[in-house]
């Protein structure tokens, strides 16, 4: 199944390309994703995603290759369900190009899935992607606008709570986030509920 999405990074192509070289900073911006290990261009991680009414958790690995002259990334990903026999593999191609409001990223995903999610059609998968890609783009924007961490002198992506069921009840006074959103490290206890 092929899925296509486009989003804009509010930075010039050089800055955006430099950002996408740092997987340790970019990976936490993907909703539900956790980067476990990173060794050069190879990595392992976990991802939780809701497909229809089904919450899925995968553990897997991937590699990234980059075409410096074309400013294009290619990811090969594979994983398996943590509580089931399903598998998922994807090939993701993401070229970057200058756009009117920053850098335009076109993401083409060739996805193969087995197990429970395979029963859902392309429409549901497209809806999931249409939900996740804008969240990823918003978090990348937050990452670019965040002040550098004085300890590391690097900007850090706001990471979702380790407890994915913890959702905000009202706007966060720290970062002006709007509910519903996962609790972020900057959020005070008064703006989230521990359901």
């Amino acid at each position: 199944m092929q899925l296509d999405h486009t989003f804009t990074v509010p930075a010039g192509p050089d800055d955006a390309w430099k950002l996408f070289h740092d997987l340790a900073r970019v990976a936490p911006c993907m909703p539900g994703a956790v980067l476990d290990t990173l060794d050069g261009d190879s990595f392992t991680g976990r991802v939780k995603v809701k497909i229809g009414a089904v919450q899925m958790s995968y553990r897997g690995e991937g590699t990234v290759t980059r075409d410096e002259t074309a400013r294009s990334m290619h990811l090969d990903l594979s994983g398996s369900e943590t509580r089931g026999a399903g598998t998922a593999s994807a090939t993701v191609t993401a070229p970057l190009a200058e756009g009117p409001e920053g850098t335009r990223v076109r993401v083409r995903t060739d996805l193969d899935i087995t197990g429970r999610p395979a029963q859902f059609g392309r429409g549901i998968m497209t809806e999931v992607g249409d939900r996740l890609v804008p969240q990823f783009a918003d978090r990348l924007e937050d990452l670019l606008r965040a002040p550098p961490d004085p300890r590391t002198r690097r900007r850090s992506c706001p990471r979702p709570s380790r407890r994915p069921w913890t959702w905000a009840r009202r706007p966060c006074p720290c970062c002006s986030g709007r509910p519903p959103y996962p609790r972020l490290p900057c959020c005070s206890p008064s703006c989230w509920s521990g359901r």
Side-chain angles (χ1 to χ4, degrees), residues 33-68:
V34 175
L35 186 64
D36 291 326
T37 64
L38 178 60
D39 183 17
D41 291 333
S42 300
F43 56 91
T44 63
R46 295 167 279 147
V47 66
K48 288 184 181 181
V49 63
K50 190 170 184 179
I51 303 171
V54 179
Q55 175 87 21
M56 305 300 301
S57 295
Y58 290 90
R59 181 177 300 276
E61 58 190 21
T63 58
V64 61
T65 54
R66 297 174 186 89
D67 181 343
E68 297 289 336

Side-chain angles (χ1 to χ4, degrees), residues 32-34 48 139 158-167 181-185 192-193:
V34 175
K48 288 184 181 181
R139 290 177 180 185
R159 296 175 189 228
S161 167
R162 293 177 194 243
R163 294 173 26 198
W165 57 86
T166 302
W167 295 92
Y181 59 89
R183 179 171 58 97
L184 303 176
W192 56 270
S193 62

Side-chain angles (χ1 to χ4, degrees), residues 64-80:
V64 61
T65 54
R66 297 174 186 89
D67 181 343
E68 297 289 336
T69 56
R71 284 199 178 120
S72 180
M73 293 179 47
H74 181 88
L75 289 94
D76 287 309
L77 310 167
S78 63
S80 56

